[in-house]
Each structure stands twice: as structure tokens, then as C-alpha cells.
Amino acid sequence: MTPSTYGAVATTLKEPAMSSMPLMSADCFSNDIHKLDTTSMMWTLISAKGTPARWRDFHSATIIGTKMYVFGGRADRFGPFHSNNEIYCNRIKVFDTETNSWLDSPPTPVLPEGRRSHSAFSYNGELYVFGGYNARLNRHFHDLWKFNPVSFSWRKIEPKGKGPCPRRRQCCCRVGDKIILFGGTSPSPEEGMGDEFDLMDHSDLYILDFSPSLKTLCKLAVIQYSLDQSCLPHDIRWELTAMTTNSTISRPIVSSQG
């Protein structure tokens, strides 16, 4: 089978306005699906069956097995064109890459808030969503949610340890059983430090460990309960210092956009 990469278009497109309107370009959301053949490096526009996901941008599209799970993003209440009536969908849409079909999704009783510019990744056959931003609520998130494709259910995860502050546009990369999170954008904590949107970019790093060792759990307990470290071996004390030292590579940077 030829290797391929699927992806829902994630950015707004420029398309001609309708013929009854003046000849001009208008911002337009997309819900197209394109497939990249990684052998020939050729793109193909997919003629998808079923009811497609709503037009949107800044969403996530995560492959698990042969299905693509689309979550979040920014859309417009009245259609594919911008009208300053943003909506943030919080329901999963599933695309089957074997049949090129959008599947009907059952309702779920518990849902994360709708958001855009979040991170999404898969681990052990489940989908995880972290962070993001909802402009209607004027809220940045730092919550972690897990979606099970088999039961089609969400569950909020509460990891041990101190996690990242609320943010969007961060990078999350999976390395083995760990998720490496870097950067992102958040509201400025001090007046005058951010840009005209009062935002600033981070340069910090966090690690989410899905399979921590007993040693790691013990070190977390020492940090959490401020236990005496004087009797511990030198290498353990060094590791504890590394775990609690500021991990930023530079000072926070003023964001150039919202």
C-alpha cells in the first residue's frame, strides 16, 4: 500500500467572492481534505463522502489507525466566510481514510471547552488534547483531556507535578512514553510587558511522562512535600535540582500577533 499522509486544511484560504459581489478576494474557511503520496510527493484533493466537518482553521487533525480525528478550531456561525461571529466546536469529527468518508459521531456526555491553537497527540490508541484558546470566552487553557475512540468518551486528566500555565500555539512532540512540550503564547502577567494584545511567547519546556518509574515518582514526592534532601545521594540531589530549575532558554518574548 502506498504511504500517504492525510490532512484537513488548517489555514484560511483566499477565494474569489461570488459573482454578484465586486471582484475581490475574501477570507474563507476551508473543510477540504488533501492527501500527500509520500512516495511520489504528489497531493490529491479527496472527494469525501458523508457530512464533512464544519469549515474551520486552527484545529487539530490526528491520525489513530486508519481514522483521522478532527477537534476544535475556529469557525463562523453563518458559513465559510468571516463575519466576526466566531464559534468554537468541541465535538469530534471522524474521517475514515480507507473509505474516504466522514463518519457519523455519537453524542458524548462530557466535553472539553471548544478551542483553537491547542495541541493534540495520540498515545496508546487514544487522543489527547492540551491547552488552546477560545476568543468568545477570552480564555486560555492548560487542561489535559483524553478521548477514547472505542467508547467515544472524554475524560479530563490531572497529571502529577506542576504543569504549564494556560497557553496556546505550543509545540508537543512524543518521544517514547513522554510528551515534550515547548513554548506557546499566554496573556502577559504584567502590564506593559506584552504587545497590544497583552500576549507574550514562552520559551519554557515541560515533560509529561506516561510511564514514570518508581524513582521518578519518589522524586516528585520529595518535591511536592518539600522533604529533606540532605541524606540523599549526590546524583539524586542533582536530578531534583534539575527538575526544579527554570527551564526557559530565554526571557519571555513579546508576541507579534494575537
Side-chain angles (χ1 to χ4, degrees):
M1 185 173 179
T2 304
S4 299
T5 298
Y6 284 77
V9 174
T11 56
T12 54
L13 304 178
K14 292 289 187 179
E15 293 189 355
M18 293 182 292
S19 57
S20 59
M21 298 175 63
L23 187 60
M24 59 179 292
S25 292
D27 286 330
C28 179
F29 294 107
S30 172
N31 62 355
D32 295 338
I33 292 182
H34 292 78
K35 178 176 71 173
L36 173 67
D37 186 315
T38 55
T39 301
S40 64
M41 296 306 291
M42 296 291 292
W43 283 99
T44 304
L45 175 64
I46 299 299
S47 179
K49 298 182 286 287
T51 304
R54 191 180 183 90
W55 311 276
R56 64 187 74 192
D57 63 3
F58 298 114
H59 55 281
S60 59
T62 308
I63 289 286
I64 301 178
T66 60
K67 295 181 174 63
M68 180 172 70
Y69 294 83
V70 176
F71 174 77
R74 177 183 62 176
D76 193 277
R77 187 177 302 278
F78 300 112
F81 293 93
H82 290 276
S83 70
N84 293 322
N85 283 276
E86 295 182 359
I87 58 174
Y88 293 84
C89 180
N90 62 347
R91 297 188 179 278
I92 289 279
K93 283 291 292 185
V94 183
F95 181 77
D96 190 326
T97 63
E98 290 187 316
T99 62
N100 286 340
S101 300
W102 289 101
L103 306 180
D104 293 330
S105 303
T108 54
V110 178
L111 291 167
E113 293 277 5
R115 62 196 68 194
R116 66 176 173 92
S117 305
H118 53 280
S119 294
F121 49 86
S122 65
Y123 178 78
N124 277 355
E126 295 179 299
L127 172 68
Y128 289 80
V129 170
F130 171 79
Y133 174 67
N134 184 311
R136 292 188 68 86
L137 301 176
N138 190 25
R139 182 180 171 192
H140 287 76
F141 299 95
H142 63 157
D143 48 354
L144 178 67
W145 289 80
K146 179 173 72 171
F147 175 77
N148 186 308
V150 177
S151 62
F152 220 85
S153 60
W154 286 97
R155 184 163 71 90
K156 188 176 183 181
I157 306 299
E158 301 287 353
K160 296 180 175 63
K162 182 181 178 181
C165 67
R167 62 187 65 198
R168 56 175 148 159
R169 303 189 301 201
Q170 62 281 339
C171 172
C172 283
C173 298
R174 178 182 163 190
V175 180
D177 291 325
K178 297 179 176 64
I179 300 297
I180 313 298
L181 182 150
F182 177 78
T185 301
S186 293
S188 173
E190 297 181 28
E191 185 177 355
M193 284 189 65
D195 63 3
E196 66 270 26
F197 299 102
D198 289 323
L199 298 172
M200 62 180 9
D201 295 331
H202 296 285
S203 60
D204 50 2
L205 182 143
Y206 290 84
I207 299 175
L208 174 64
D209 193 340
F210 282 107
S211 185
S213 64
L214 178 59
K215 178 182 177 182
T216 297
L217 293 174
C218 290
K219 288 189 291 184
L220 287 173
V222 170
I223 295 169
Q224 181 179 354
Y225 299 106
S226 302
L227 302 180
D228 180 27
Q229 302 180 20
S230 60
C231 60
L232 296 176
H234 177 269
D235 60 332
I236 299 296
R237 295 202 307 271
W238 183 90
E239 291 172 5
L240 288 167
T241 300
M243 291 174 67
T244 54
T245 300
N246 192 324
S247 63
T248 57
I249 60 172
S250 66
R251 64 179 179 81
I253 305 167
V254 173
S255 176
S256 61
Q257 57 181 318

